[in-house]
Amino acid sequence: MSVERATPQRVVVLLSGAGTLAAALLAAGRPSFDVVAVGADRDAAGLTAAREQGLPTFVVPLSAHPDRAAWDTALAAALAAHDPDWVICAGFMKLLGPAVLEAFAGRVVNTHPALLPAFPGAHAVRDALAAGVTTTGATVHLVDAGLDTGPVLAQVGVPVLPGDDETALHERIKTVERELLVTTLDTLCTTRPLETPR
């Protein structure tokens, strides 16, 4: 059973770096969702594309707050100001805390450069190479309180080629990761599953 969505869903994107995933969402042109703001935990390069398109941006640095709980509360408020239907972590390199996860329960989506539950964490591509696997890939999943442990929404495999180093493999994963994020978000915003098993 599903719920049909007639109007574009409001999306706020969080990033920490160059913003190639965010740029893919901005360029997607899907009628099912609108990116209404882009935020970061630092003055990241990825905010530039959003600013060039006239989108609101915001920065909530961890260093500006006395502890992670205060930062998380501030981030939740910054997100809420844009009234998002979905919060997309697109290369956002901070763990979200209870304030954000409770405010947007079941509506925070992350991408990860591995086939979860294999290789969670910040060094997934390096870890896959070290393990000697022949296939890794990309995952789009809902965010929970764990480290890359939320329900998987979609995955796509990427072969590990002879002679691959971390940079080469990661670039190939990013290519499919961008497409996977756009198509998965489009599906969520068109017909949102009521239940998504891992």
Side-chain angles (χ1 to χ4, degrees), residues 14 41 58 60-80 89 92 94-104 108 143-145:
L14 293 175
D41 59 324
F58 59 92
V60 185
L62 183 58
S63 60
H65 300 278
D67 54 34
R68 287 194 75 96
W71 171 79
D72 188 54
T73 298
L75 181 59
L79 289 165
C89 296
F92 188 64
K94 293 281 191 296
L95 287 175
L96 300 175
V100 171
L101 295 179
E102 289 170 12
F104 306 101
V108 182
V143 176
D144 63 13

Side-chain angles (χ1 to χ4, degrees), residues 34-56:
D34 286 326
V35 177
V36 297
V38 178
D41 59 324
R42 64 197 76 175
D43 190 22
L47 295 173
T48 302
R51 291 172 180 148
E52 288 174 349
Q53 294 192 28
L55 284 175

Side-chain angles (χ1 to χ4, degrees), residues 1 15-16 20 32 35 40 74 87-88 95 116-117 127-128 139 161 165 168 181 192:
M1 187 173 182
L15 55 83
S16 293
T20 58
S32 59
V35 177
V87 175
I88 308 299
L95 287 175
L116 293 173
D127 293 344
T139 299
L161 303 179
D165 61 15
L181 176 58
R192 181 180 179 177

Side-chain angles (χ1 to χ4, degrees), residues 35-186:
V35 177
V36 297
V38 178
D41 59 324
R42 64 197 76 175
D43 190 22
L47 295 173
T48 302
R51 291 172 180 148
E52 288 174 349
Q53 294 192 28
L55 284 175
T57 62
F58 59 92
V59 179
V60 185
L62 183 58
S63 60
H65 300 278
D67 54 34
R68 287 194 75 96
W71 171 79
D72 188 54
T73 298
L75 181 59
L79 289 165
H82 299 284
D83 192 27
D85 294 299
W86 296 96
V87 175
I88 308 299
C89 296
F92 188 64
M93 302 304 291
K94 293 281 191 296
L95 287 175
L96 300 175
V100 171
L101 295 179
E102 289 170 12
F104 306 101
R107 297 185 289 136
V108 182
V109 174
N110 184 47
T111 69
H112 185 74
L115 296 175
L116 293 173
F119 313 119
H123 305 293
V125 179
R126 183 188 311 168
D127 293 344
L129 285 170
V133 297
T134 57
T135 302
T136 184
T139 299
V140 177
H141 66 98
L142 292 175
V143 176
D144 63 13
L147 178 62
D148 299 322
T149 55
V152 170
L153 298 171
Q155 292 183 312
V156 62
V158 173
V160 180
L161 303 179
D164 261 344
D165 61 15
E166 186 176 354
T167 300
L169 179 56
H170 203 175
E171 285 304 314
R172 290 207 316 283
I173 292 172
K174 285 179 184 177
T175 299
V176 300
E177 191 176 21
R178 290 189 286 265
E179 182 178 349
L180 187 66
L181 176 58
V182 170
T183 57
T184 303
L185 182 58
D186 186 41

